[in-house]
Amino acid sequence: MRALDLEYMWDLLPVLIGYIPLTLFMALIGMACALVLASFMAVERIFRVPVLDLFVRLFISFFRGTPLLVQLFLFYYGLPQVLSFLTSINGVTATIMGLTLHFSAYMAESIRAAILGVDRSQWEASQAVGMTQFQMMSQIILPQAARVAAPTLVNYFIDMIKGTSLAFTLGVTELMGATQKEAAGSFLYFEAFLVVAAIYWIIVEALAFVQRHLEIYLNKAHAR
Amino acid sequence: MTSASAISITGLNKAFGDTSVLKDISLEIAPGERVVVIGPSGTGKSTLLRCLNFLDRPDAGVIRLGDLTVDAKTVSHADILALRRRTSFVFQNYALFANKTARENIMQALITVKGQSKADAYTRAAAILDETGLTKRADAYPAALSGGQQQRVGIGRAMALDADLMLFDEPTSALDPEWVGEVLDLMRRVAEKRQTMLIVTHEMQFAREIADRILFMSDGQIVEQGPPEQLLENPQDKRTKAFLRRVA
Ligand SMILES: Nc1ncnc2c1ncn2[C@@H]1O[C@H](COP(=O)(O)OP(=O)(O)OP(=O)(O)O)[C@@H](O)[C@H]1O
Ligand SMILES: [Mg+2]
């Protein structure tokens, strides 16, 4: 047993903090794309558009049914071999793509469940005043479903932030990759990974704080 | 404001599975006429109203509203939207948009459906909030309103649409007794403007006061109809007599 090298940890901290923007960048872009794709698929699953429905179901089944790491390797190492225009897909792009597709499959299911939970009266009232289906979904149904789905979606976002650490397997020097390199140089693995664990932890806790405020905001229509 | 279009319904039929709920209903409503529908539970009163704006899809029948003709057999998506935009509906359970304030509930369709500017919709909503006595509660969400207030917003939302035909499906049935009076008062004021109205209600006194005509429905058919005095004092059909004995 040896003492922790606190000085090393302290010096490492600013180095690793410098990689937070890349991690957040991948997670935020991934989340934004996943939200759009998931909402689209959720609405499709409700209306069951012929043919398209088959593809959406297959998509959701595949991306929920296989590991994220496998999907990332498939995009980064596999796709360029069959699609020649992708000769050099960069690791960051492949990660964002993988996170988007993987998490959109899960998010589509929770958004769909939230939509189905919106009271029938809300659909009928929208129809009765003459709204188009698009107006009904975008202004009445989805905002109400968002309130129900929000806690689950934030949890997926948290998973996504942690999921960005897999980018290091595609050769991206992000938070995890940088830590790996630093640790390999100093041999102080325990210290290095402790610091990176703390950084992820703090990011997620900060997000949980945002989540509480988001929920208060979304629930304002339901306060008595 | 007087609605200008006459309404004519011909051969309306609706079944749920094997159960025929509306059996060849035909009905004319004159502009400005206030028609009340009464009848036992489960006879198709709600279904009749819901077929008129295609919340339920009729199996057959033709609905004419001014120059708009909608045939259930050949109806298009555009027909349904047009019909819905020329009618308005007041629900038994209010059905206010839960994510919108009272004011926004009234403004919503003015902006999205009628394409009015926000400023115009706001002005119109302010006038309606005043008329329905809700100015003070304008920025409250439905969950924070009493049943009576919610239904007054529901009626206000329908009034804002300036529909050729206002449909009311038992607007006071879900209310605690203490709130029924204020909602009926508001409906009286709407009726005084000679707004064309088709109202399902169990409030016989109210029906007698405001109706130009009362329809008695039983088992998916209009059994008997006439002015309130005639239908309520001197019913002809034995089913009407039996029903009126029960509710009197
Ligand atoms: N969506 C539906 N699916 C199946 N059956 C239905 C549906 N809606 C209504 N019905 C049936 O149609 C019949 C007529 O219903 P409707 O609601 O029109 O009656 P009502 O006259 O409005 O009755 P109440 O006074 O109880 O409101 C009833 O037997 C009802 O069970
Ligand atoms: Mg009914």
Side-chain angles (χ1 to χ4, degrees):
Chain A
M1 187 131 167
R2 65 173 172 84
L4 279 181
D5 187 339
L6 291 175
E7 201 185 325
Y8 172 75
M9 289 170 75
W10 183 249
D11 291 340
L12 185 59
L13 194 60
V15 177
L16 294 188
I17 284 175
Y19 289 93
I20 292 179
L22 179 58
T23 291
L24 290 184
F25 172 78
M26 291 190 289
L28 279 170
I29 304 284
M31 186 67 185
C33 298
L35 265 181
V36 173
L37 187 58
S39 304
F40 168 79
M41 291 194 293
V43 171
E44 189 291 317
R45 290 286 291 125
I46 304 261
F47 289 100
R48 302 203 177 170
V49 184
V51 187
L52 189 58
D53 194 52
L54 202 69
F55 283 103
V56 169
R57 275 162 50 195
L58 194 68
F59 178 97
I60 292 175
S61 168
F62 176 79
F63 283 98
R64 289 209 308 177
T66 52
L68 177 56
L69 190 58
V70 172
Q71 292 163 15
L72 289 177
F73 277 32
L74 213 48
F75 291 129
Y76 186 67
Y77 298 110
L79 271 192
Q81 295 190 337
V82 285
L83 299 174
S84 46
F85 62 89
L86 279 176
T87 39
S88 63
I89 183 172
N90 83 38
V92 171
T93 310
T95 304
I96 292 173
M97 234 171 97
L99 292 173
T100 297
L101 301 184
H102 183 80
F103 282 97
S104 68
Y106 284 95
M107 285 160 49
E109 290 296 286
S110 30
I111 294 174
R112 183 172 84 101
I115 291 173
L116 290 175
V118 174
D119 195 79
R120 198 172 69 117
S121 69
Q122 301 297 307
W123 302 71
E124 293 194 338
S126 309
Q127 290 166 344
V129 300
M131 285 190 210
T132 60
Q133 281 188 336
F134 179 78
Q135 290 167 340
M136 169 175 76
M137 293 314 292
S138 62
Q139 303 192 30
I140 305 297
I141 306 300
L142 286 176
Q144 293 188 43
R147 169 178 162 261
V148 177
T152 322
L153 296 181
V154 175
N155 286 342
Y156 284 130
F157 185 48
I158 289 171
D159 277 352
M160 208 184 251
I161 289 175
K162 294 184 287 186
T164 58
S165 63
L166 292 175
F168 106 96
T169 62
L170 309 186
V172 180
T173 311
E174 43 63 75
L175 202 45
M176 182 63 189
T179 311
Q180 171 76 25
K181 281 186 186 156
E182 291 292 335
S186 65
F187 295 108
L188 294 172
Y189 287 97
F190 189 67
E191 279 84 348
F193 288 118
L194 208 53
V195 171
V196 81
I199 289 175
Y200 279 115
W201 193 6
I202 289 167
I203 294 174
V204 170
E205 275 305 310
L207 203 67
F209 178 80
V210 174
Q211 177 174 27
R212 283 190 291 277
H213 285 269
L214 176 69
E215 279 170 34
I216 291 168
Y217 170 77
L218 288 171
N219 279 320
K220 76 179 192 307
H222 296 265
R224 279 184 177 272
Chain B
M1 169 216 59
T2 308
S3 340
S5 305
I7 292 112
S8 134
I9 300 152
T10 325
L12 198 64
N13 279 280
K14 173 69 182 172
F16 289 110
D18 294 338
T19 334
S20 176
V21 173
L22 295 181
K23 297 167 186 165
D24 221 22
I25 300 252
S26 293
L27 175 65
E28 308 270 334
I29 302 174
E33 195 179 10
R34 292 141 309 188
V35 179
V36 166
V37 183
I38 60 172
S41 182
T43 53
K45 306 183 296 296
S46 296
T47 308
L48 169 62
L49 263 55
R50 293 166 56 86
C51 279
L52 296 185
N53 71 352
F54 279 71
L55 282 182
D56 284 333
R57 209 185 176 96
D59 302 321
V62 179
I63 300 166
R64 278 192 202 83
L65 225 167
D67 55 359
L68 175 69
T69 300
V70 178
D71 185 330
K73 294 280 188 209
T74 58
V75 64
S76 70
H77 195 66
D79 287 339
I80 293 178
L81 274 188
L83 197 55
R84 286 176 178 166
R85 287 171 183 186
R86 294 176 65 163
T87 57
S88 59
F89 204 102
V90 176
F91 294 86
Q92 181 171 349
N93 61 357
Y94 334 129
L96 299 183
F97 302 129
N99 59 328
K100 306 273 176 191
T101 62
R103 188 197 311 281
E104 289 166 346
N105 262 275
I106 297 168
M107 291 171 64
Q108 177 69 34
L110 295 180
I111 296 168
T112 52
V113 178
K114 294 194 165 232
Q116 291 185 9
S117 71
K118 261 200 166 146
D120 287 350
Y122 190 94
T123 308
R124 185 72 210 279
I128 285 179
L129 286 163
D130 184 46
E131 202 174 344
T132 53
L134 287 160
T135 304
K136 283 199 174 120
R137 304 296 283 140
D139 296 312
Y141 286 96
L145 297 173
S146 74
Q149 290 170 334
Q150 288 189 60
Q151 192 57 298
R152 283 188 281 144
V153 177
I155 295 171
R157 174 174 71 181
M159 287 163 67
L161 297 171
D162 290 327
D164 289 336
L165 173 65
M166 277 181 92
L167 301 160
F168 294 76
D169 189 9
E170 299 200 34
T172 58
S173 294
L175 291 172
D176 287 339
E178 54 179 323
W179 310 123
V180 170
E182 62 185 48
V183 170
L184 292 181
D185 282 345
L186 176 57
M187 289 174 66
R188 270 187 205 100
R189 288 204 294 282
V190 176
E192 278 162 12
K193 299 183 202 175
R194 299 211 64 85
Q195 159 75 49
T196 316
M197 299 161 91
L198 183 59
I199 306 168
V200 176
T201 185
H202 292 299
E203 298 285 340
M204 290 301 164
Q205 185 49 42
F206 172 76
R208 185 191 297 262
E209 269 174 56
I210 68 126
D212 297 304
R213 178 164 43 134
I214 298 184
L215 310 179
F216 173 72
M217 266 184 83
S218 182
D219 201 19
Q221 290 172 311
I222 298 172
V223 171
E224 189 172 353
Q225 55 181 301
E229 318 77 61
Q230 181 194 315
L231 190 111
L232 299 176
E233 309 297 343
N234 192 17
Q236 300 302 304
D237 194 279
K238 65 178 195 307
R239 285 169 291 180
T240 321
K241 289 177 185 165
F243 175 77
L244 289 173
R245 258 200 310 280
R246 267 190 291 124
V247 298

